[in-house]
Amino acid sequence: MDSKAPPRTAPDDFARYYARLSKQNMAPLWEVLKNLVTAEPVTPVLPAHWRYADVKPLLMEAAGLISAEQAERRVLVLENPGLPGASSITHSLYAGIQLVMPGEIAPQHRHTQSALRFILEGNGATTTVDGERLPMYPGDLVLTPSWHWHDHQNETGEPIIWMDGLDIALVALLDASFMQHSNRKEQEVTQAKGASLARYGANMLPIDDAPATVNSPLMRYPYDKSREALEHLKAHSDWDPCHGIRMRYAHPQTGDWALPTMGPAIQLVPKDFSTRPYRSTDGAIFAVADGHGTATIGDKTFALSPKDVFVVPPWAWRSFKGKDDLVLFTFTDRPVQEKLGLFREERGATS
Ligand code: GTQ
């Protein structure tokens, strides 16, 4: 008899054996291996698009239902349609649209989740981080690194609206969530306005600087500077076939990503330029900073207007076309994937 002949086990025998395994907290790998270790990324995350024209009226309606203080944070969570109820826009990341009305304060708290804010609308309301009030204008990126106290206040006459990005699901996966409230609604302001920008946002560093941490000490990346750089490169450099002009927001002391878990970037797709297909393992959340155009993600095409948000699933092909100069902000979990040696990208052929 051939000793290598496979056994011919009856389905009932498998079932009885699996039941005995299960009682002892074991399971057969051979039933699940092909779903656990896949040839390519397999994700429930779907391409999705939130038009600002749809989001804004619903967000303003929330202002009539609940105050920023009652809500703690008055935010509409952008839920990926492939992950219903999970409060996630990708498997690892969270995005929401936050509103603070004139005169309101979203009270001080801190958490181990890192947050970034990309400002969509408003004119000079503030987020206080580390005792510094950071003014917020459209297109600015404001950071709230892990475990930094933060509160938002709107002392202007207009609503302020921004996109929040947090690493909520990633921190949940690692069971590393800590959160604290303060008995002070707002933190004491200990820094002059513009302090972190003067120290870290002028291509210089304090001569006797504190050692770098994983978090950028620059808390605000103003849009006028980002846009100026993009405009210069549009006029005077080659455009990347897959991105147009694309820059990432750097940690000024180390050159690494601005945050350890979320990598923000900004790109300009010039008017009438069509990017070549590109895909990468990091699912990407985009917000339209300026301009109009289209995003094609897999077999879906979205018509983009300013302040829209859309999501590109991991390893999905994407390409863009600028109807006018289209400026896109994005954040992804690429810093994590790079550190773990998992990040991959692929550039498609000319179509
Ligand atoms: O502003 O601190 O969208 O803690 C979700 C959780 C915003 C915030 C969110 C938060 C915040």
Side-chain angles (χ1 to χ4, degrees), residues 222-296:
Y223 185 58
D224 52 2
K225 290 201 178 194
S226 325
R227 184 67 193 258
E228 195 183 309
L230 294 174
E231 290 294 339
H232 186 281
L233 295 168
K234 182 185 84 170
H236 303 291
S237 74
D238 292 337
W239 303 344
D240 182 289
C242 293
H243 301 305
I245 301 103
R246 191 165 195 222
M247 304 287 280
R248 65 180 178 85
Y249 294 87
H251 183 312
Q253 293 163 304
T254 65
D256 205 339
W257 294 95
L259 292 166
T261 52
M262 292 186 290
I266 191 161
Q267 75 196 84
L268 190 156
V269 180
K271 179 175 158 61
D272 297 329
F273 185 64
S274 293
T275 68
R276 259 197 242 164
Y278 169 90
R279 65 177 177 175
S280 57
T281 47
D282 54 337
I285 299 95
F286 285 86
V288 180
D290 263 315
H292 297 80
T294 54
T296 300

Side-chain angles (χ1 to χ4, degrees), residues 72-77 94-98 106-107 109-111 113 115-117 127 144 150-152 162-166 168 179:
E72 186 160 344
R73 296 295 184 262
R74 189 201 287 114
V75 177
L76 298 182
V77 178
Y94 160 102
I97 307 292
Q98 180 157 175
H109 69 198
R110 65 174 174 174
H111 37 71
Q113 289 82 0
L116 59 79
R117 337 249 169 222
T127 285
T144 310
H150 54 285
D151 39 275
H152 314 297
W162 67 79
M163 176 176 73
D164 284 317
L166 286 89
I168 289 178
M179 199 279 185

Side-chain angles (χ1 to χ4, degrees), residues 66-98:
I66 191 164
S67 72
E69 200 167 339
Q70 281 173 313
E72 186 160 344
R73 296 295 184 262
R74 189 201 287 114
V75 177
L76 298 182
V77 178
L78 304 180
E79 284 207 319
N80 192 284
L83 302 168
S87 303
S88 287
I89 191 158
T90 67
H91 247 153
S92 58
L93 299 175
Y94 160 102
I97 307 292
Q98 180 157 175

Side-chain angles (χ1 to χ4, degrees), residues 25-331:
N25 305 316
M26 288 183 273
L29 175 62
W30 57 87
E31 291 287 345
V32 291
L33 180 58
K34 65 176 186 305
N35 295 329
L36 293 179
V37 182
T38 59
E40 288 202 356
V42 174
T43 180
V45 173
L46 298 171
H49 177 205
W50 292 264
R51 285 175 200 80
Y52 195 64
D54 297 329
V55 173
K56 187 174 174 189
L58 286 164
L59 186 60
M60 296 309 293
E61 208 180 316
L65 299 173
I66 191 164
S67 72
E69 200 167 339
Q70 281 173 313
E72 186 160 344
R73 296 295 184 262
R74 189 201 287 114
V75 177
L76 298 182
V77 178
L78 304 180
E79 284 207 319
N80 192 284
L83 302 168
S87 303
S88 287
I89 191 158
T90 67
H91 247 153
S92 58
L93 299 175
Y94 160 102
I97 307 292
Q98 180 157 175
L99 166 65
V100 184
M101 293 295 284
E104 285 191 322
I105 295 166
Q108 176 176 193
H109 69 198
R110 65 174 174 174
H111 37 71
T112 48
Q113 289 82 0
S114 300
L116 59 79
R117 337 249 169 222
F118 186 73
I119 316 312
L120 300 176
E121 192 172 329
N123 203 15
T126 50
T127 285
T128 309
V129 183
D130 262 358
E132 180 184 349
R133 285 204 165 177
L134 305 159
M136 300 189 279
Y137 295 94
D140 290 355
L141 170 67
V142 172
L143 306 183
T144 310
S146 177
W147 211 236
H148 285 50
W149 290 106
H150 54 285
D151 39 275
H152 314 297
Q153 43 284 122
N154 185 352
E155 293 173 353
T156 76
E158 337 161 26
I160 175 104
I161 298 174
W162 67 79
M163 176 176 73
D164 284 317
L166 286 89
D167 52 6
I168 289 178
L170 189 64
V171 172
L173 173 70
L174 303 171
D175 285 328
S177 176
F178 292 88
M179 199 279 185
Q180 275 185 345
H181 291 100
S182 169
N183 48 19
R184 291 186 59 142
K185 214 157 65 170
E186 290 182 282
Q187 57 188 292
E188 198 182 333
V189 176
T190 57
Q191 306 273 332
K193 258 191 191 173
S196 90
L197 198 60
R199 286 197 186 96
Y200 294 106
N203 298 315
M204 297 187 282
L205 295 172
I207 195 82
D208 292 311
D209 203 7
T213 75
V214 292
N215 298 309
S216 168
L218 179 59
M219 297 298 167
R220 173 169 175 256
Y221 295 72
Y223 185 58
D224 52 2
K225 290 201 178 194
S226 325
R227 184 67 193 258
E228 195 183 309
L230 294 174
E231 290 294 339
H232 186 281
L233 295 168
K234 182 185 84 170
H236 303 291
S237 74
D238 292 337
W239 303 344
D240 182 289
C242 293
H243 301 305
I245 301 103
R246 191 165 195 222
M247 304 287 280
R248 65 180 178 85
Y249 294 87
H251 183 312
Q253 293 163 304
T254 65
D256 205 339
W257 294 95
L259 292 166
T261 52
M262 292 186 290
I266 191 161
Q267 75 196 84
L268 190 156
V269 180
K271 179 175 158 61
D272 297 329
F273 185 64
S274 293
T275 68
R276 259 197 242 164
Y278 169 90
R279 65 177 177 175
S280 57
T281 47
D282 54 337
I285 299 95
F286 285 86
V288 180
D290 263 315
H292 297 80
T294 54
T296 300
I297 305 162
D299 57 8
K300 283 216 156 67
T301 294
F302 301 136
L304 304 176
S305 295
K307 306 177 181 57
D308 287 3
V309 176
F310 61 98
V311 57
V312 179
W315 213 233
W317 288 106
R318 70 175 190 237
S319 57
F320 302 115
K321 186 167 199 282
K323 191 171 160 201
D324 35 42
D325 280 358
L326 177 65
V327 182
L328 301 172
F329 171 83
T330 183
F331 71 100

